[in-house]
Amino acid sequence: MLTSVAPSSLVAADFAIKDGDTVVFLGDSLTAARTYGKIIENYTLLRFPERKVKFFNAGFGGDTAAGGAKRLERDVFSLGATVVTVAFGTNDIGWGVLADDAHKQQYLDGIRSIVTQCRSRGVRVFICSASITGADPTKSEDSFLQKMCDEGLQLAKELGGETIDVQRSMRDIQKRVWAHNEKLPADKQKDKVQMFVADGVHLNDLGQLTMGYAILKGLNAPPDVSSATLDAQTMKAEEALNCELSDFKRDRTKLEFSRLDRGLPFNYGLFYALNYIWVPVPNELSRYQLTVRNLPAGKYRITADERGLGTFSAQSLAQGVNLTFATENGWVPGGPWNSQANVLRELTDARHDLAASQLIARTFLKDDDLLTKLRSSEAKADNQLIEMQREVARPRKYRFVIEPVE
């Protein structure tokens, strides 16, 4: 009987965020909302738990590329940034009101300054095109905003920066949403899928996830977490990619084994998964695969650490199933990795709530003694939260049980 299979690595483009990096998200109000930044933060912590990375948000409502260039020292370099993502554009043209050559040049000058300053400080800079707006996605490819951002991306490349075409990636998803909404009958218009709040510019949760997805893809985020393949008859593991399989056991009714992964799947809460109808996170960012071959025909219940993942046919298991979001009860998390991810989300939220409180204090409080005390406490609390994040994102050995059901 096989007792252990050491992991081999999945072949994928290397993720742009490295061990020891300090990542800063620079942008306007879409960045200041902190949502897409927290998605990227949680994804990185779960998928690469061995990498010690810090994340900071430098979003500022109403800001432009020119404004971002002026505050690099204060809001980016002072944090020890090694990586910065830059997302401007919508305010640069005043939501379309200021879409002219003069404002385009101000945007390009801002991008030039940001890339030049970052390069001179050894900071890896990723210039992103602006987010989509609520305009018709079938027509916005030729919009002033897209064309201006294209020039900004080209300029950034010429200056040695990295680029991510966020706008086109988001627009592909927006087109699917629009196609769905257009098919709704008149009495179902209230059920339209929305990516924006009422102004058609600021993003709701689905829009923020779409933006986070676009940036992660631009950072070469790998789709595969890990993959395990075993033969139920021989009890041999045929493959163990980014995971280690051990402690195999089989009796007349069930098959058991332990699995220790190098990283964990991304998850953002129970009902957040409804967004994955539109944003292909499960298949393109978070494949946690299990394949079991040569099971007798029938249905099989799978548990991991006694948590029910659901019932699967022998045929589907032979083809391989993605267990990232699998659960037999939609009201509770599925595998233990989901529970870890949910705890991580709360800790990440706490980090950013702490940072937001300090920003408000620095902006509006005038008591220097109080500010000094708060600043000292903030650093200590933030470091404690970071350690808690890393601990909860660390992979544990899970015990899988596969047993037939009537």
Side-chain angles (χ1 to χ4, degrees), residues 228-232 235-239 245 248 255 257 290-294 402:
T229 302
L230 57 145
D231 188 308
M235 286 301 292
K236 289 185 177 181
E238 298 178 353
E239 186 178 67
L245 306 179
F248 286 78
L255 180 157
F257 63 94
L290 174 64
T291 303
V292 185
R293 299 197 172 106
N294 293 321
I402 304 173

Side-chain angles (χ1 to χ4, degrees), residues 8-70:
S8 57
S9 296
L10 288 159
V11 178
D14 196 17
F15 190 41
I17 299 176
K18 311 295 185 182
D19 185 32
D21 272 337
T22 296
V23 181
V24 179
F25 303 108
L26 179 67
D28 51 31
S29 57
L30 299 183
T31 303
R34 295 179 177 268
T35 306
Y36 79 75
K38 288 190 288 187
I39 288 169
I40 296 170
E41 180 173 352
N42 284 0
Y43 175 92
T44 304
L45 293 170
L46 289 165
R47 294 297 301 277
F48 302 97
E50 79 286 355
R51 301 185 187 184
K52 292 187 176 180
V53 184
K54 289 185 177 180
F55 294 87
F56 295 97
N57 188 287
F60 191 82
D63 205 5
T64 63
K70 292 177 181 177

Side-chain angles (χ1 to χ4, degrees), residues 169-303:
S169 183
M170 294 183 72
R171 189 177 295 121
D172 287 342
I173 294 170
Q174 187 185 24
K175 286 179 180 177
R176 295 203 298 271
V177 170
W178 269 57
H180 164 81
N181 289 340
E182 288 175 351
K183 294 177 182 178
L184 292 174
D187 61 340
K188 296 291 185 180
Q189 289 300 300
K190 61 180 177 59
D191 298 327
K192 280 185 176 181
V193 177
Q194 303 291 343
M195 300 180 70
F196 304 89
V197 299
D199 62 20
V201 174
H202 292 94
L203 302 169
N204 62 13
D205 279 351
L206 174 58
Q208 287 277 350
L209 174 64
T210 305
M211 189 167 182
Y213 162 85
I215 295 175
L216 281 169
K217 293 289 285 185
L219 294 172
N220 288 329
D224 295 294
V225 182
S226 61
S227 179
T229 302
L230 57 145
D231 188 308
Q233 288 187 352
T234 64
M235 286 301 292
K236 289 185 177 181
E238 298 178 353
E239 186 178 67
L241 300 176
N242 282 358
C243 63
E244 180 178 348
L245 306 179
S246 61
D247 305 322
F248 286 78
K249 179 181 178 182
R250 185 182 64 186
D251 58 28
R252 291 190 304 171
T253 61
K254 60 186 177 183
L255 180 157
E256 299 182 47
F257 63 94
S258 295
R259 175 172 176 166
L260 177 61
D261 300 285
R262 286 179 172 168
L264 299 180
F266 171 82
N267 186 272
Y268 218 58
L270 290 174
F271 300 109
Y272 208 84
L274 295 172
N275 292 320
Y276 304 147
I277 296 171
W278 310 106
V279 187
V281 170
N283 289 328
E284 295 194 20
L285 288 179
S286 196
R287 291 201 294 255
Y288 185 70
Q289 295 290 120
L290 174 64
T291 303
V292 185
R293 299 197 172 106
N294 293 321
L295 282 169
K299 300 285 187 178
Y300 294 84
R301 180 174 184 256
I302 301 180
T303 60

Side-chain angles (χ1 to χ4, degrees), residues 360-375:
I360 293 170
R362 289 192 297 271
T363 304
F364 298 107
L365 290 181
K366 302 304 179 184
D367 187 331
D368 290 339
D369 183 55
L370 175 58
L371 288 173
T372 300
K373 290 179 180 178
L374 287 174
R375 190 176 296 111

